[in-house]
Coordinates of all heavy atoms in Angstrom, one line a residue:
C306 N -3.9 -45.7 -82.0 CA -3.2 -44.4 -81.4 C -3.8 -43.2 -81.9 O -3.7 -43.0 -83.1 CB -1.8 -44.6 -81.9 SG -0.8 -43.2 -81.5
Q308 N -4.3 -39.2 -82.4 CA -3.6 -37.9 -82.3 C -4.5 -37.0 -81.8 O -5.8 -37.0 -81.8 CB -3.3 -37.4 -83.8 CG -2.1 -38.2 -84.4 CD -0.7 -37.7 -83.9 OE1 -0.7 -36.7 -83.1 NE2 0.3 -38.5 -84.2
F312 N -2.9 -31.7 -83.5 CA -1.6 -32.0 -83.0 C -0.7 -32.6 -83.9 O -0.1 -33.6 -83.8 CB -1.7 -33.0 -81.8 CG -0.6 -33.0 -80.8 CD1 -0.2 -31.8 -80.3 CD2 -0.1 -34.3 -80.5 CE1 0.9 -32.0 -79.4 CE2 1.0 -34.3 -79.6 CZ 1.4 -33.1 -79.1
R314 N 2.5 -32.8 -85.8 CA 3.9 -32.5 -85.5 C 4.7 -32.1 -86.6 O 4.8 -32.7 -87.7 CB 4.6 -33.6 -84.8 CG 3.9 -34.2 -83.5 CD 3.7 -33.1 -82.4 NE 4.8 -32.2 -82.4 CZ 4.5 -30.9 -82.1 NH1 3.4 -30.6 -81.8 NH2 5.4 -30.1 -82.0
S315 N 5.4 -31.0 -86.5 CA 6.5 -30.8 -87.4 C 7.7 -31.6 -86.9 O 7.8 -31.9 -85.7 CB 6.9 -29.3 -87.5 OG 7.7 -29.0 -86.2
L316 N 8.6 -32.0 -87.8 CA 9.7 -32.7 -87.3 C 10.9 -31.8 -86.9 O 11.7 -31.4 -87.6 CB 10.1 -33.7 -88.4 CG 11.2 -34.8 -87.7 CD1 10.7 -35.4 -86.6 CD2 11.6 -35.7 -88.8
R317 N 10.7 -31.2 -85.7 CA 11.6 -30.1 -85.2 C 13.1 -30.7 -85.3 O 14.1 -30.0 -85.6 CB 11.3 -29.7 -83.8 CG 10.1 -29.0 -83.8 CD 9.8 -28.5 -82.4 NE 8.6 -27.6 -82.4 CZ 7.6 -27.8 -81.5 NH1 7.7 -28.7 -80.6 NH2 6.6 -27.0 -81.5
L318 N 13.2 -32.0 -84.9 CA 14.6 -32.6 -84.9 C 15.3 -32.5 -86.1 O 16.6 -32.3 -86.2 CB 14.5 -34.1 -84.5 CG 14.2 -34.4 -83.0 CD1 13.9 -35.9 -82.9 CD2 15.4 -34.0 -82.2
R321 N 16.6 -28.7 -86.9 CA 17.1 -27.9 -85.8 C 18.2 -26.9 -86.3 O 18.3 -25.8 -85.7 CB 18.0 -28.9 -84.8 CG 17.0 -29.7 -84.0 CD 16.7 -28.9 -82.6 NE 15.4 -29.3 -82.2 CZ 15.0 -30.4 -81.5 NH1 16.0 -31.3 -81.3 NH2 13.9 -30.6 -81.1
L329 N 4.9 -35.7 -90.4 CA 4.3 -36.2 -89.2 C 5.5 -36.8 -88.3 O 6.3 -37.5 -88.9 CB 3.4 -37.3 -89.6 CG 1.9 -36.8 -89.8 CD1 1.1 -38.0 -90.1 CD2 1.5 -36.1 -88.6
F330 N 5.4 -36.6 -87.1 CA 6.4 -37.0 -86.3 C 6.1 -38.5 -85.9 O 4.9 -38.7 -85.5 CB 6.4 -36.2 -84.9 CG 7.7 -36.4 -84.1 CD1 8.8 -35.8 -84.3 CD2 7.9 -37.5 -83.2 CE1 10.0 -35.9 -83.8 CE2 8.9 -37.6 -82.5 CZ 10.0 -36.9 -82.8
G331 N 7.1 -39.3 -86.1 CA 6.6 -40.8 -86.0 C 6.8 -41.3 -84.6 O 7.5 -40.7 -83.7
S332 N 6.3 -42.4 -84.4 CA 6.4 -43.3 -83.2 C 6.0 -42.7 -81.8 O 6.5 -43.2 -80.8 CB 7.8 -43.7 -83.1 OG 8.3 -44.1 -84.2
A333 N 5.3 -41.6 -81.9 CA 4.8 -41.1 -80.5 C 3.9 -42.1 -79.8 O 4.1 -42.2 -78.6 CB 3.9 -39.8 -80.8
C334 N 3.0 -42.8 -80.6 CA 2.2 -43.8 -80.0 C 3.0 -45.0 -79.5 O 4.0 -45.5 -80.1 CB 1.2 -44.2 -81.0 SG 0.1 -45.4 -80.4
G335 N 2.7 -45.4 -78.3 CA 3.3 -46.7 -77.8 C 4.6 -46.4 -77.1 O 5.2 -47.3 -76.5
Q336 N 5.1 -45.1 -77.2 CA 6.4 -44.8 -76.4 C 6.0 -44.5 -75.0 O 5.3 -43.5 -74.7 CB 7.1 -43.6 -77.0 CG 8.2 -43.3 -76.3 CD 9.4 -43.1 -77.3 OE1 9.2 -43.2 -78.4 NE2 10.6 -43.0 -76.6
G337 N 6.6 -45.4 -74.0 CA 6.4 -45.1 -72.6 C 5.0 -45.1 -72.2 O 4.0 -45.4 -72.9
S338 N 4.8 -44.6 -70.9 CA 3.3 -44.6 -70.5 C 2.8 -43.1 -70.5 O 1.7 -42.9 -70.2 CB 3.3 -45.0 -69.0 OG 4.0 -44.1 -68.3
F339 N 3.6 -42.2 -71.1 CA 3.5 -40.8 -71.0 C 2.8 -40.4 -69.7 O 2.0 -39.4 -69.7 CB 2.8 -40.2 -72.4 CG 1.4 -40.3 -72.5 CD1 0.4 -39.6 -71.8 CD2 0.9 -41.3 -73.4 CE1 -0.9 -39.7 -72.1 CE2 -0.5 -41.3 -73.8 CZ -1.3 -40.6 -73.1
Y340 N 3.2 -40.8 -68.6 CA 2.8 -40.5 -67.3 C 1.3 -40.6 -67.2 O 0.6 -39.6 -66.7 CB 3.2 -39.0 -67.0 CG 4.6 -38.8 -66.3 CD1 5.6 -38.5 -67.1 CD2 4.7 -39.0 -65.1 CE1 6.9 -38.4 -66.6 CE2 5.9 -38.8 -64.4 CZ 7.0 -38.4 -65.2 OH 8.3 -38.3 -64.7
N341 N 0.7 -41.7 -67.6 CA -0.8 -41.6 -67.5 C -1.3 -41.6 -66.0 O -0.5 -41.9 -65.2 CB -1.4 -42.7 -68.3 CG -1.0 -44.1 -67.8 OD1 -0.9 -44.2 -66.5 ND2 -0.8 -45.1 -68.7
L366 N 11.6 -27.1 -73.6 CA 10.4 -26.2 -74.0 C 9.4 -27.2 -74.8 O 9.8 -28.1 -75.5 CB 10.8 -25.2 -75.0 CG 11.9 -24.3 -74.7 CD1 12.2 -23.2 -75.6 CD2 11.6 -23.6 -73.3
L367 N 8.1 -26.9 -74.6 CA 7.2 -27.7 -75.3 C 5.8 -26.8 -75.6 O 5.6 -25.9 -74.8 CB 6.9 -29.0 -74.7 CG 5.5 -29.4 -73.9 CD1 5.4 -30.9 -74.0 CD2 5.5 -28.9 -72.5
G368 N 5.2 -27.2 -76.7 CA 4.1 -26.4 -77.1 C 3.4 -27.0 -78.4 O 4.2 -27.7 -79.0
F418 N 21.5 -46.6 -85.2 CA 20.4 -45.9 -84.6 C 19.4 -46.8 -83.8 O 19.0 -46.5 -82.7 CB 19.7 -45.1 -85.7 CG 18.7 -44.1 -85.2 CD1 19.0 -42.7 -85.3 CD2 17.5 -44.3 -84.7 CE1 18.3 -41.7 -84.7 CE2 16.6 -43.3 -84.1 CZ 17.0 -42.0 -84.3
L422 N 18.3 -47.1 -80.1 CA 16.9 -47.1 -79.7 C 16.5 -48.2 -78.7 O 15.8 -47.9 -77.7 CB 16.1 -47.1 -81.0 CG 14.6 -46.9 -80.9 CD1 14.3 -45.5 -80.5 CD2 14.0 -47.0 -82.3
F427 N 17.4 -42.7 -76.4 CA 16.8 -41.6 -76.9 C 15.8 -40.9 -76.0 O 15.0 -41.6 -75.4 CB 16.2 -41.8 -78.2 CG 17.2 -42.1 -79.4 CD1 17.4 -43.3 -79.9 CD2 17.9 -41.0 -79.9 CE1 18.4 -43.5 -81.0 CE2 18.8 -41.2 -80.9 CZ 19.1 -42.4 -81.4
L428 N 15.9 -39.6 -75.8 CA 14.8 -38.9 -75.1 C 13.7 -38.9 -76.0 O 12.4 -39.0 -75.6 CB 15.3 -37.4 -74.9 CG 16.3 -37.3 -73.9 CD1 16.7 -35.8 -73.8 CD2 16.0 -37.7 -72.5
E429 N 13.8 -38.6 -77.3 CA 12.8 -38.7 -78.2 C 13.3 -38.9 -79.7 O 14.5 -38.7 -79.8 CB 12.0 -37.3 -78.3 CG 12.8 -36.2 -78.7 CD 12.0 -34.9 -78.9 OE1 10.8 -34.9 -78.7 OE2 12.7 -33.9 -79.1
Y430 N 12.6 -39.5 -80.5 CA 13.1 -39.8 -81.8 C 11.8 -39.8 -82.8 O 10.7 -39.7 -82.3 CB 13.7 -41.2 -81.9 CG 12.8 -42.4 -81.7 CD1 12.4 -43.0 -82.8 CD2 12.3 -42.7 -80.4 CE1 11.4 -44.1 -82.7 CE2 11.4 -43.7 -80.2 CZ 11.0 -44.4 -81.4 OH 10.1 -45.4 -81.2
G431 N 12.2 -39.9 -84.1 CA 11.1 -39.8 -85.1 C 11.7 -40.2 -86.6 O 12.8 -40.2 -86.7
E432 N 10.8 -40.4 -87.4 CA 11.2 -40.7 -88.7 C 10.6 -39.7 -89.7 O 9.4 -39.4 -89.6 CB 10.7 -42.1 -89.2 CG 11.2 -42.5 -90.5 CD 11.1 -44.1 -90.7 OE1 10.5 -44.8 -89.8 OE2 11.7 -44.6 -91.7
Y438 N 15.6 -39.6 -86.9 CA 16.3 -38.6 -86.1 C 16.0 -38.8 -84.7 O 14.8 -39.2 -84.3 CB 15.6 -37.2 -86.5 CG 15.8 -36.8 -87.9 CD1 15.0 -37.2 -89.0 CD2 16.9 -35.9 -88.3 CE1 15.2 -36.8 -90.3 CE2 17.1 -35.5 -89.6 CZ 16.2 -35.9 -90.6 OH 16.4 -35.6 -91.9
G439 N 17.0 -38.4 -83.8 CA 16.7 -38.6 -82.4 C 17.5 -37.8 -81.5 O 18.8 -37.4 -81.8
T440 N 17.2 -37.5 -80.3 CA 18.2 -36.8 -79.3 C 18.4 -37.7 -78.1 O 17.5 -38.2 -77.5 CB 17.5 -35.5 -78.6 OG1 17.1 -34.7 -79.8 CG2 18.4 -34.8 -77.8
D458 N 13.8 -28.7 -77.3 CA 12.3 -28.7 -77.4 C 11.9 -30.1 -77.4 O 12.6 -30.9 -78.2 CB 11.8 -27.8 -78.4 CG 12.2 -28.0 -79.8 OD1 11.8 -28.9 -80.5 OD2 13.4 -27.3 -80.1
I459 N 10.8 -30.5 -76.9 CA 10.4 -31.9 -76.8 C 9.0 -32.1 -77.1 O 8.1 -31.1 -77.1 CB 10.7 -32.4 -75.3 CG1 9.9 -31.7 -74.3 CG2 12.1 -32.5 -75.1 CD1 9.7 -32.4 -73.0
E460 N 8.6 -33.2 -77.4 CA 7.2 -33.6 -77.6 C 6.7 -34.0 -76.3 O 7.5 -34.4 -75.4 CB 7.1 -34.9 -78.6 CG 7.7 -34.6 -79.8 CD 7.0 -33.4 -80.7 OE1 5.9 -33.3 -80.4 OE2 7.7 -32.8 -81.5
P461 N 5.4 -33.9 -76.0 CA 4.9 -34.3 -74.6 C 5.2 -35.7 -74.2 O 5.7 -35.8 -73.0 CB 3.4 -34.2 -74.8 CG 3.2 -33.2 -75.9 CD 4.3 -33.5 -76.8
Y462 N 5.3 -36.6 -75.0 CA 5.7 -38.1 -74.6 C 7.0 -38.2 -74.1 O 7.4 -39.1 -73.3 CB 5.4 -39.1 -75.7 CG 6.4 -39.0 -76.8 CD1 7.8 -39.6 -76.6 CD2 6.1 -38.5 -78.0 CE1 8.6 -39.6 -77.6 CE2 7.1 -38.5 -79.0 CZ 8.4 -39.0 -78.8 OH 9.3 -39.0 -79.7
A463 N 7.9 -37.1 -74.3 CA 9.4 -37.1 -73.8 C 9.4 -36.6 -72.4 O 10.5 -36.7 -71.8 CB 10.2 -36.5 -74.9
I464 N 8.3 -36.2 -71.9 CA 8.3 -35.5 -70.6 C 8.9 -36.5 -69.6 O 9.8 -36.2 -68.7 CB 7.0 -34.9 -70.1 CG1 6.6 -33.8 -70.9 CG2 6.9 -34.6 -68.6 CD1 5.1 -33.4 -70.6
E465 N 8.4 -37.6 -69.6 CA 8.9 -38.8 -68.7 C 10.5 -38.9 -68.8 O 11.0 -39.1 -67.8 CB 8.2 -40.0 -69.0 CG 8.4 -41.1 -68.0 CD 7.5 -42.3 -68.2 OE1 6.8 -42.4 -69.2 OE2 7.5 -43.3 -67.4
S466 N 11.0 -38.8 -70.0 CA 12.4 -39.1 -70.1 C 13.3 -38.0 -69.6 O 14.4 -38.2 -69.3 CB 12.7 -39.3 -71.7 OG 11.7 -40.2 -72.2
V467 N 12.7 -36.8 -69.6 CA 13.6 -35.6 -69.1 C 13.4 -35.3 -67.5 O 14.2 -34.7 -67.1 CB 13.4 -34.4 -70.0 CG1 13.8 -34.6 -71.4 CG2 11.9 -33.9 -69.9
R468 N 12.2 -35.8 -67.1 CA 12.0 -35.6 -65.6 C 12.7 -36.7 -64.9 O 12.0 -37.6 -64.3 CB 10.5 -35.5 -65.3 CG 9.8 -34.3 -65.8 CD 8.4 -34.2 -65.4 NE 8.2 -33.5 -64.2 CZ 7.6 -34.0 -63.1 NH1 7.3 -35.3 -63.0 NH2 7.4 -33.4 -61.9
I476 N 10.4 -27.7 -67.0 CA 9.6 -27.8 -68.2 C 8.8 -26.4 -68.5 O 8.1 -26.1 -67.5 CB 8.8 -28.9 -68.2 CG1 9.7 -30.2 -68.2 CG2 7.8 -29.0 -69.4 CD1 8.9 -31.6 -68.2
W520 N -5.5 -28.8 -75.6 CA -5.4 -30.3 -75.3 C -4.1 -30.7 -74.6 O -4.2 -31.4 -73.6 CB -5.5 -31.1 -76.7 CG -5.4 -32.5 -76.4 CD1 -6.5 -33.4 -76.3 CD2 -4.3 -33.3 -76.5 NE1 -6.1 -34.6 -76.2 CE2 -4.8 -34.7 -76.3 CE3 -2.9 -33.1 -76.8 CZ2 -3.8 -35.7 -76.3 CZ3 -2.0 -34.1 -76.7 CH2 -2.5 -35.5 -76.4
M521 N -3.1 -30.0 -75.1 CA -1.8 -30.3 -74.4 C -1.8 -29.9 -72.9 O -1.3 -30.6 -72.0 CB -0.8 -29.5 -75.1 CG 0.7 -30.2 -75.1 SD 1.8 -29.3 -76.1 CE 1.9 -30.2 -77.5
Q524 N -3.8 -32.2 -70.8 CA -3.2 -33.5 -70.5 C -2.0 -33.4 -69.6 O -1.7 -34.3 -68.9 CB -2.7 -34.1 -71.8 CG -3.9 -34.5 -72.7 CD -4.8 -35.6 -72.2 OE1 -4.3 -36.7 -71.7 NE2 -6.1 -35.4 -72.3
Y525 N -1.2 -32.4 -69.8 CA 0.1 -32.4 -69.2 C 0.4 -31.3 -68.2 O 1.6 -31.0 -67.9 CB 1.2 -32.3 -70.3 CG 1.0 -33.5 -71.3 CD1 0.5 -33.4 -72.5 CD2 1.6 -34.8 -70.9 CE1 0.5 -34.5 -73.4 CE2 1.5 -35.9 -71.7 CZ 0.9 -35.7 -73.0 OH 0.8 -36.7 -73.8
F528 N 2.9 -31.2 -65.2 CA 4.4 -31.3 -65.3 C 5.0 -30.0 -65.8 O 6.2 -29.9 -66.0 CB 4.7 -32.4 -66.4 CG 4.2 -33.8 -66.0 CD1 3.2 -34.4 -66.8 CD2 4.5 -34.4 -64.8 CE1 2.7 -35.5 -66.5 CE2 3.9 -35.5 -64.5 CZ 3.0 -36.1 -65.3
F529 N 4.2 -29.0 -65.9 CA 4.7 -27.7 -66.4 C 5.2 -27.0 -65.2 O 4.6 -26.7 -64.2 CB 3.7 -26.7 -67.1 CG 3.1 -27.5 -68.2 CD1 1.9 -27.0 -68.8 CD2 3.6 -28.5 -68.9 CE1 1.3 -27.5 -69.9 CE2 3.1 -29.1 -70.0 CZ 1.9 -28.6 -70.6

Side-chain angles (χ1 to χ4, degrees):
C306 169
Q308 284 283 351
F312 198 53
R314 303 301 329 147
S315 73
L316 190 54
R317 287 181 180 136
L318 282 171
R321 288 270 150 81
L329 273 182
F330 198 86
S332 318
C334 177
Q336 176 129 9
S338 63
F339 76 76
Y340 272 96
N341 64 40
L366 307 183
L367 113 155
F418 195 100
L422 190 63
F427 287 107
L428 289 175
E429 61 173 0
Y430 71 95
E432 187 161 3
Y438 295 85
T440 306
D458 55 83
I459 57 166
E460 304 298 329
Y462 72 78
I464 291 177
E465 189 174 6
S466 316
V467 295
R468 286 184 94 237
I476 297 179
W520 181 87
M521 208 179 260
Q524 295 294 315
Y525 301 101
F528 304 116
F529 300 162

